Amino acid sequence: MSRSILVVDDDPKMRELLQIVLESAGFETSAAADGESALRVFQQRNPSLVVADVVLPKVDGLELCRRILAEDEETSVILMSGVHSLSLIAPDAEKAGALCFLPKPIDLNAFVALVRDALGEKGEKSTTILDLPLERLRRDYIRGFPAMMQRIREEWALVLNGKDENAVEHFHRSIHSIAGTAGTLGLKTLGDTAREVEKLLRHLMN
C-alpha cells in the first residue's frame, strides 16, 4: 500500500506540524489549505490517506470526505477539529464515510499510531515525537503571536463595523486555527481560551 498522505488544514502551522511528524515516521506527504485545493491535490497525487480538518474554506471537511470517497472508495479519511466534540461530529463523520474523527489538540504519538493502523501498519515500531523540531515550531508560533493578535483585532473591528458580510466568518476561522494549533503545540491555556471563544461565536453564527 502507498505511504502517501494528504494533510488538509487552513492553518499553515498545523499543516507544517503534521507533515513534520508524518515524514519523520517515514510517510510521504502533500498538503492543501482548503477543500477545493485538496481535491485537486488528491486527483494529482492519489494518496492512500487524507487527514483533514472539518472547518475548511470553500469545501468543508465533511463534504471533502464525501467527494474523495466518491472518486476512490479505497481511500481512508481521518477528520479532525479543534472545536467539535466527539459526540457531536462523530455521527456526521461516520455518515460521510470517514475512518474516524480526531479531536484537537492532537496527541502526536497517538496520531502516528492511528495513521499506521489506518494504512495497515499496526504493530510497526512507534514513532517518538521528542526528537522532532517541535520546539522550533512552538517558538515560531509564540514569536508570531503579536502579529496574529493584531490581525484578529482588525477582523473584530470589521465584525463590529457590520459592513463586511464575510467578517464574522474570517474572525471565526482565525479563532478556530488558534484553538486547534496552540493546544497541539503544548500551549494549552491559549488553545482552551480560543476554544471557548469559538463556542460563543458559533452560537452567534447559528
Side-chain angles (χ1 to χ4, degrees):
M1 177 181 286
S2 167
R3 305 184 88 244
S4 176
I5 300 171
L6 170 58
V7 176
V8 191
D9 200 297
D10 59 333
D11 187 323
K13 287 298 182 184
M14 179 59 79
R15 290 198 307 276
E16 181 183 9
L17 173 61
L18 294 182
Q19 285 189 277
I20 286 174
V21 169
L22 291 169
E23 289 172 6
S24 297
F27 297 103
E28 298 176 3
T29 71
S30 52
D34 61 72
E36 285 186 0
S37 299
L39 287 169
R40 290 194 294 271
V41 175
F42 176 78
Q43 291 163 351
Q44 294 166 359
R45 302 292 296 271
N46 192 30
S48 294
L49 176 67
V50 177
V51 180
D53 195 14
V54 171
V55 180
L56 292 171
K58 300 179 181 179
V59 176
D60 68 29
L62 293 169
E63 180 61 21
L64 174 63
C65 179
R66 286 188 285 266
R67 293 191 189 182
I68 284 174
L69 294 177
E71 290 197 24
D72 184 354
E73 61 183 13
E74 297 300 319
T75 305
S76 296
V77 179
I78 296 174
L79 292 176
M80 56 187 180
S81 179
V83 293
H84 297 86
S85 71
L86 184 61
S87 60
L88 290 176
I89 197 63
D92 289 335
E94 183 178 358
K95 288 178 183 177
L99 181 67
C100 63
F101 169 73
L102 187 63
K104 296 178 183 177
I106 295 171
D107 179 319
L108 295 174
N109 284 299
F111 170 66
V112 172
L114 178 62
V115 167
R116 289 193 186 282
D117 193 20
L119 294 179
E121 299 181 3
K122 190 172 184 179
E124 293 285 334
K125 183 178 178 181
S126 61
T127 298
T128 300
I129 306 301
L130 297 177
D131 296 330
L132 301 182
L134 302 188
E135 185 57 38
R136 174 186 64 80
L137 288 175
R138 189 180 294 112
R139 287 197 304 268
D140 289 348
Y141 191 83
I142 293 171
R143 191 178 298 117
F145 194 71
M148 190 187 310
M149 286 305 301
Q150 178 59 36
R151 187 185 72 246
I152 287 174
R153 282 192 289 267
E154 292 171 357
E155 290 174 346
W156 180 242
L158 291 175
V159 171
L160 296 178
N161 182 277
K163 294 182 179 179
D164 184 347
E165 61 181 13
N166 297 315
V168 174
E169 180 183 351
H170 291 158
F171 182 73
H172 170 256
R173 196 168 300 285
S174 294
I175 298 298
H176 169 77
S177 293
I178 295 173
T181 305
T184 303
L185 285 170
L187 305 171
K188 184 178 185 303
T189 300
L190 176 58
D192 288 347
T193 301
R195 193 168 295 107
E196 291 303 313
V197 172
E198 184 172 13
K199 287 179 182 177
L200 293 173
L201 279 172
R202 293 185 69 82
H203 284 302
L204 292 174
M205 294 169 68
N206 292 334

